[in-house]
Amino acid sequence: MSIDLFQYNLMMERAMRAVVREALTKVAVGGLPGQHHFYISFRTSFPGVQMSDALRERFPEDMTIVLQHQLWGLAVHLDAFEVTLSFSGVQERLVIPFAAITGFVDPS
């Protein structure tokens, strides 16, 4: 059995997180252009994820959020981003480490 000295899978994960970080940074500065919107899936139990107890009860393992029309206070940091979204008319602040993300899609 060969040993993966390069660990390409880890390189790809870091590269994809950088893509997500850059896309979110552009949105934080200039808003979502045109028809762009993001589906972001993440592990809710990942260390550093901050969300209300009510949301954590509804989504104990994973969750997908949509960044489109109703988002406020998007802030992008080196290792995480935070955003306020509306869930059933209630605004909730989320902090999501990039390492918790399991999927990112921009259907546009």
Side-chain angles (χ1 to χ4, degrees), residues 16-27:
M16 291 307 296
R17 288 185 185 120
V19 168
V20 174
R21 183 182 311 106
E22 186 172 343
L24 291 174
T25 299
K26 289 180 182 233
V27 172

Side-chain angles (χ1 to χ4, degrees), residues 59-108:
F59 305 97
E61 294 180 24
D62 54 39
M63 178 180 197
T64 299
I65 58 174
V66 180
L67 301 186
Q68 189 170 14
H69 300 297
Q70 295 185 5
L71 64 109
W72 302 272
L74 177 61
V76 182
H77 310 289
L78 183 60
D79 294 326
F81 72 98
E82 53 188 285
V83 65
T84 299
L85 299 174
S86 180
F87 296 90
S88 301
V90 177
Q91 290 189 358
E92 302 267 4
R93 188 76 175 164
L94 302 172
V95 177
I96 304 168
F98 289 111
I101 296 175
T102 57
F104 175 83
V105 177
D106 178 355
S108 295

Side-chain angles (χ1 to χ4, degrees), residues 15-59:
M16 291 307 296
R17 288 185 185 120
V19 168
V20 174
R21 183 182 311 106
E22 186 172 343
L24 291 174
T25 299
K26 289 180 182 233
V27 172
V29 171
L32 281 161
Q35 297 299 314
H36 288 276
H37 57 288
F38 303 147
Y39 291 95
I40 302 173
S41 299
F42 63 98
R43 293 179 301 228
T44 57
S45 60
F46 192 89
V49 170
Q50 296 176 28
M51 57 195 303
S52 71
D53 291 340
L55 281 180
R56 196 173 302 277
E57 284 180 24
R58 286 177 51 197
F59 305 97

